[in-house]
Amino acid sequence: MKGEGVDRGTKVTILGLLTNVGLTGVKGVAGWWFHSAALLAEAGHSLSDLLADFVTLVCWRMSRKPPTDNYPYGFGKYETFGTATVSILLIGAAIAIGHHSYSTMLHVIEPTIQAMQAGPAQDILRNFVDYNLTALDAVKGIIPHAHTHGAEHAHEHESAGAVHGVDINAAWVALASVATKEWIYRLTKKIADEEKSPVLDANAQHHRSDAYSSAVAFAAIVGSWAVPGLPLDALGGTLISILIFQQGWGLFTGAMRDLTDAGVPESTRRSLGKIVGPLITPPTSASTSSYPNTQSILAIRNVRAIRSGSMMFVDLTADVSPLMTVREAHHVEDRIRKAIMSKRSEVREVRVHLHALEDGQFPRKTNGDGPC
């Protein structure tokens, strides 16, 4: 992975991609061989991680391109687009895994219901299972084959009248996956934080969700092995799907905010305001004679910012003396710009609107909608 143009973000994404190639194959084969629904669900999750790595790699590389005449603000939105795509992959994986695991769980408990004493309770449970299986079959056509093959494999055994117990050796595969994915998560997260990259962060969260879900799978496999009569393995797969869906939805909503140019949170605006706070020298009265000097910054307000991938663009209003010269105004803008960009490496541009206070006018403290 040496060579010109290969940066840390590219390297860690390729490393994650290769890791997911291995994990997808190992967990898929082990889940099939050891009859583990949770491990098959994990293989599907690793497959979605593999697709996410490809998306991350392309979007990360595109976002690193310098600005052009057609894209004067750079290509940061490619990162946001990549984050949205990764989140959709997560949500899709969650739906597929949930379908697979829930269907398996219903088939596992069918024999127990059949063995119950005839009566209202058995009828209610049988109707519940039949209704849910019918609903699952209705949406089966839209579930990716990669996630449903494990369920079909389990159903074939069940229809033959012999639902295989989970082999405890499947737990070792899940445990190894936990360690591997937690390691690649920490490595990716470290680089994502240093680069302030949302698409690398989304991919890191994808790795972390796989580590969490592998831990749930480990517990479910051990539980199913210890108590074979309970569908704990399939229940674990269902819980995994809920966990992944929540994470994917959180990433998706965040990406949509950035794509629609929503402003940064209030906490970020306050942080930017604190950075420029020491530059302010407030007047003692509303008279221009009380202004410290013509180069002073009397107030800073209307601090706003939007994100474009890993980049942030800031604009604000600075109240100054009406006697300030053009040279002094340029110096003030430069001071504000340097103060912010030295503390926040993700800031790519700071636009400063200078508002000249008239005699008898106090600086405003509100964050109004307009530049003045």
Side-chain angles (χ1 to χ4, degrees), residues 247-333:
Q247 198 159 39
W249 183 253
L251 289 171
F252 180 77
T253 54
M256 287 301 101
R257 282 182 54 83
D258 287 351
L259 282 174
T260 54
D261 288 335
V264 297
E266 176 63 28
S267 58
T268 303
R269 294 199 298 271
R270 284 198 301 268
S271 175
L272 293 170
K274 288 180 180 179
I275 292 173
V276 295
L279 303 179
I280 299 173
T281 306
T284 57
S285 71
S287 172
T288 55
S289 61
S290 70
Y291 298 169
N293 56 66
T294 57
Q295 300 182 47
S296 297
I297 301 173
L298 307 178
I300 291 179
R301 52 193 173 82
N302 295 341
V303 179
R304 303 179 299 180
I306 60 171
R307 290 192 177 275
S308 178
S310 60
M311 301 180 291
M312 186 189 300
F313 295 86
V314 180
D315 68 82
L316 53 84
T317 298
D319 289 330
V320 295
S321 167
L323 305 178
M324 179 177 287
T325 65
V326 173
R327 184 185 299 273
E328 290 170 339
H330 176 74
H331 179 65
V332 165
E333 291 178 354

Side-chain angles (χ1 to χ4, degrees), residues 65-77 308 311 313 348-349 351:
K65 293 172 63 176
T68 65
D69 289 340
N70 290 329
Y71 291 87
Y73 295 100
F75 295 82
K77 289 295 184 183
S308 178
M311 301 180 291
F313 295 86
R348 289 294 178 267
E349 185 176 319
R351 291 188 174 185

Side-chain angles (χ1 to χ4, degrees), residues 164-352:
H164 293 279
V166 177
D167 191 321
I168 189 58
N169 288 308
W172 298 113
V173 178
L175 195 60
S177 177
V178 173
T180 303
K181 295 302 289 188
E182 181 64 19
W183 169 70
I184 198 68
Y185 159 77
R186 291 176 182 270
L187 189 60
T188 306
K189 180 65 174 174
K190 179 176 182 294
I191 295 176
D193 289 343
E194 292 173 355
E195 297 287 343
K196 302 292 191 298
S197 170
V199 72
L200 288 181
D201 183 65
N203 206 32
Q205 297 302 328
H206 210 152
H207 292 313
R208 169 55 71 84
S209 72
D210 209 359
Y212 284 162
S213 61
S214 292
V216 175
F218 172 78
I221 291 167
V222 172
S224 291
W225 171 77
V227 189
L230 295 179
L232 297 179
D233 184 52
L235 179 60
T238 304
L239 294 176
I240 288 168
S241 69
I242 296 173
L243 175 70
I244 299 170
F245 184 87
Q246 289 178 332
Q247 198 159 39
W249 183 253
L251 289 171
F252 180 77
T253 54
M256 287 301 101
R257 282 182 54 83
D258 287 351
L259 282 174
T260 54
D261 288 335
V264 297
E266 176 63 28
S267 58
T268 303
R269 294 199 298 271
R270 284 198 301 268
S271 175
L272 293 170
K274 288 180 180 179
I275 292 173
V276 295
L279 303 179
I280 299 173
T281 306
T284 57
S285 71
S287 172
T288 55
S289 61
S290 70
Y291 298 169
N293 56 66
T294 57
Q295 300 182 47
S296 297
I297 301 173
L298 307 178
I300 291 179
R301 52 193 173 82
N302 295 341
V303 179
R304 303 179 299 180
I306 60 171
R307 290 192 177 275
S308 178
S310 60
M311 301 180 291
M312 186 189 300
F313 295 86
V314 180
D315 68 82
L316 53 84
T317 298
D319 289 330
V320 295
S321 167
L323 305 178
M324 179 177 287
T325 65
V326 173
R327 184 185 299 273
E328 290 170 339
H330 176 74
H331 179 65
V332 165
E333 291 178 354
D334 195 50
R335 286 169 58 200
I336 294 174
R337 187 175 295 108
K338 286 181 177 178
I340 293 177
M341 296 182 74
S342 65
K343 298 292 185 180
R344 301 293 294 253
S345 60
E346 73 271 31
V347 175
R348 289 294 178 267
E349 185 176 319
V350 180
R351 291 188 174 185
V352 181

